[in-house]
């Protein structure tokens, strides 16, 4: 586009724009960058789609104006896709992909975007942030502005966050019902549970990709007294059934016994090579740990080598 939008063109567009309630804009459906400044002039600070409720949109370092124009106070469900932000910063600005400066630039970019974007969607209740394969370099400070959201009920962050970020999210003004995290990067520093806020106390559904032992620590320090459903994708190998049972028993002891309803555990390696009787003991001990839950409706244990437990006598 090389000329301003006429009044007639804009009026005709607005007739259709008011009808749009849901939009999914993928990287493959990119509009030429030169178009957005003309549209921004016409919007005059107002949302491009004034009645939008659901939005899934890509964040590109070059096209940051595009997603900002789509943001509207009417949005309740939003998905931000970064599509390898660190990689794109590297390609756009010819930086070293493994350098600290590249990670810092990507972090500042994403943090600044969220700081501008979130005030435009005050009523959002469901948010998903889908990161690309290079995003381990994004510092957790990029997510801290999420703590200011008031109406968020479901949060999904598909990239590792560190403990300070996890702790900051616990102080968010929203009262979450569902929390989905890729992983919380723990360190050896002792964490005081009193430093956590109340945002997780209302969480009923928690899903996380984490080592089982680390998951125990997370639940212990953050406190999830309202938890009904827990899904753990444990990618670490199990060296012995007894180790897994001890971790599982510890986990169960941290969950609310009267209201808890469902637990799903997927482990990254089956208990291969162990004698059948040892697996037999494991299964019976797992059931013993579950007996405390009076409202339990579902227990699923997924293993890469299910043949190790098929012949267990229950």
């Amino acid at each position: 586009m090389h000329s301003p939008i006429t009044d007639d063109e804009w009026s005709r567009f607005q007739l259709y724009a008011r009808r749009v309630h849901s939009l999914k804009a993928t990287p493959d459906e990119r509009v030429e960058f030169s178009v957005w400044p003309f549209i921004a002039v016409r919007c005059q600070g107002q949302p491009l789609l004034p009645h939008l409720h659901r939005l899934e949109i890509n964040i590109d370092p070059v096209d940051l104006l595009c997603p900002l124009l789509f943001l509207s106070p009417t949005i309740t469900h939003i998905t931000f896709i970064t599509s390898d932000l660190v990689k794109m910063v590297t390609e756009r600005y010819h930086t070293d992909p493994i350098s600290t400066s590249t990670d810092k630039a990507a972090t500042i970019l994403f943090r600044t975007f969220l700081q501008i974007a979130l005030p435009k969607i005050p009523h959002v209740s469901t948010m998903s942030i889908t990161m690309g394969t290079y995003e381990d370099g994004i510092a957790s400070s990029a997510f801290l502005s999420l703590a200011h959201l008031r109406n968020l009920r479901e949060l999904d962050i598909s990239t590792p966050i560190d403990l300070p970020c996890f702790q900051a999210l616990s102080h968010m003004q929203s009262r979450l019902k569902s929390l989905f995290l890729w992983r919380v990067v723990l360190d050896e520093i002792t964490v005081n549970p009193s430093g956590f806020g109340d945002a997780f106390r209302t969480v009923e559904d928690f899903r996380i990709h984490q080592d089982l032992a680390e998951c125990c620590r997370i639940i212990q320090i953050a406190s999830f007294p309202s938890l009904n459903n827990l899904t753990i994708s444990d990618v670490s190998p199990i060296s012995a059934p007894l180790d897994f049972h001890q971790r599982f028993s510890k986990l169960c002891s941290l969950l609310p016994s009267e209201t808890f309803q469902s637990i799903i555990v997927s482990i990254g390696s089956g208990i291969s090579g162990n004698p059948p009787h040892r697996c037999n003991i494991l299964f019976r001990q797992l059931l013993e740990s579950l007996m405390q839950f009076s409202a339990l409706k579902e227990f699923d244990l997924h293993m890469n080598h299910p043949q190790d437990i098929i012949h267990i006598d229950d």
Side-chain angles (χ1 to χ4, degrees):
M1 181 178 292
H2 301 288
S3 61
I5 302 170
T6 67
D7 291 343
D8 288 343
E9 290 172 336
W10 187 247
S11 296
R12 187 165 59 252
F13 170 78
Q14 287 184 307
L15 291 176
Y16 295 100
R18 295 189 186 100
R19 304 177 187 177
V20 180
H21 291 172
S22 179
L23 177 67
K24 181 178 180 179
T26 67
D28 297 331
E29 300 168 337
R30 181 178 300 171
V31 177
E32 180 63 34
F33 175 68
S34 61
V35 173
W36 298 114
F38 291 102
I39 294 179
V41 170
R42 277 292 181 175
C43 286
Q44 297 182 342
Q46 299 301 310
L48 181 62
L49 305 174
H51 298 150
L52 196 63
H53 293 160
R54 292 176 177 267
L55 175 63
E56 180 177 327
I57 196 163
N58 184 65
I59 302 173
D60 189 308
V62 175
D63 297 339
L64 287 181
L65 181 59
C66 165
L68 291 176
L69 290 176
F70 284 108
L71 299 180
S72 168
T74 58
I75 290 177
T76 57
H77 295 69
I78 194 163
T79 297
F80 293 125
I81 305 173
T82 63
S83 299
D84 299 333
L85 193 58
V86 172
K87 182 181 180 182
M88 285 193 291
V89 168
T90 300
E91 293 175 348
R92 304 288 189 189
Y93 306 110
H94 308 290
T95 59
D96 185 346
I98 62 174
S99 71
T100 303
S101 60
T102 299
D103 290 346
K104 185 176 181 180
T107 297
I108 293 174
L109 181 69
F110 189 62
R111 182 177 67 229
T112 303
F113 172 79
L114 287 182
Q115 289 173 342
I116 298 173
L118 296 184
K120 297 178 180 293
I121 49 173
H123 303 295
V124 66
S125 60
T126 300
M127 176 178 291
S128 176
I129 300 177
T130 303
M131 314 295 278
T133 55
Y134 287 77
E135 306 304 13
D136 284 359
I138 297 290
S140 292
S141 60
F143 301 102
L144 296 183
S145 55
L146 297 177
H148 300 293
L149 294 172
R150 293 179 177 271
N151 297 298
L152 198 63
R153 295 296 176 263
E154 180 176 317
L155 176 62
D156 182 349
I157 301 179
S158 64
T159 190
I161 61 173
D162 60 19
L163 197 55
C165 179
F166 181 62
Q167 190 169 9
L169 291 177
S170 75
H171 290 278
M172 68 190 333
Q173 299 178 38
S174 298
R175 292 298 176 257
L176 293 173
K177 292 295 184 182
S178 299
L179 179 62
F180 310 145
L181 299 177
W182 182 253
R183 187 166 64 91
V184 179
V185 181
L186 300 175
D187 51 38
E188 299 302 323
I189 300 175
T190 301
V191 180
N192 186 355
S194 63
F196 279 79
D198 295 332
F200 300 154
R201 297 187 64 83
T202 54
V203 170
E204 297 176 0
D205 188 7
F206 184 34
R207 305 177 193 177
I208 189 169
H209 292 255
Q210 195 89 25
D211 173 86
L212 193 57
E214 292 180 339
C215 189
C216 290
R217 184 182 175 196
I218 289 170
I219 292 178
Q220 186 171 22
I221 61 177
S223 181
F224 291 80
S226 301
L227 197 61
N228 291 335
N229 308 289
L230 175 63
T231 300
I232 303 173
S233 296
D234 186 349
V235 297
S236 62
I238 302 297
S239 58
L242 183 58
D243 293 339
F244 179 73
H245 165 254
Q246 290 174 341
R247 299 173 189 175
F248 187 80
S249 178
K250 173 66 173 179
L251 176 68
C252 290
S253 70
L254 299 172
L255 302 175
S257 59
E258 295 183 359
T259 59
F260 191 74
Q261 298 179 7
S262 171
I263 181 168
I264 301 173
V265 180
S266 300
I267 59 177
S269 176
I271 312 173
S272 182
N274 292 300
H277 71 276
R278 295 193 66 184
C279 287
N280 188 23
I281 294 173
L282 168 67
F283 188 68
R284 290 177 177 174
Q285 290 176 329
L286 289 180
L287 290 180
E288 289 176 1
S289 298
L290 294 170
M291 292 299 291
Q292 64 175 304
F293 301 120
S294 57
L296 188 68
K297 297 179 180 179
E298 178 183 19
F299 169 54
D300 287 341
L301 176 63
H302 300 278
M303 307 171 70
N304 280 351
H305 303 286
Q307 65 271 18
D308 292 331
I309 60 174
I310 284 178
H311 300 295
I312 294 177
D313 182 9
D314 60 0

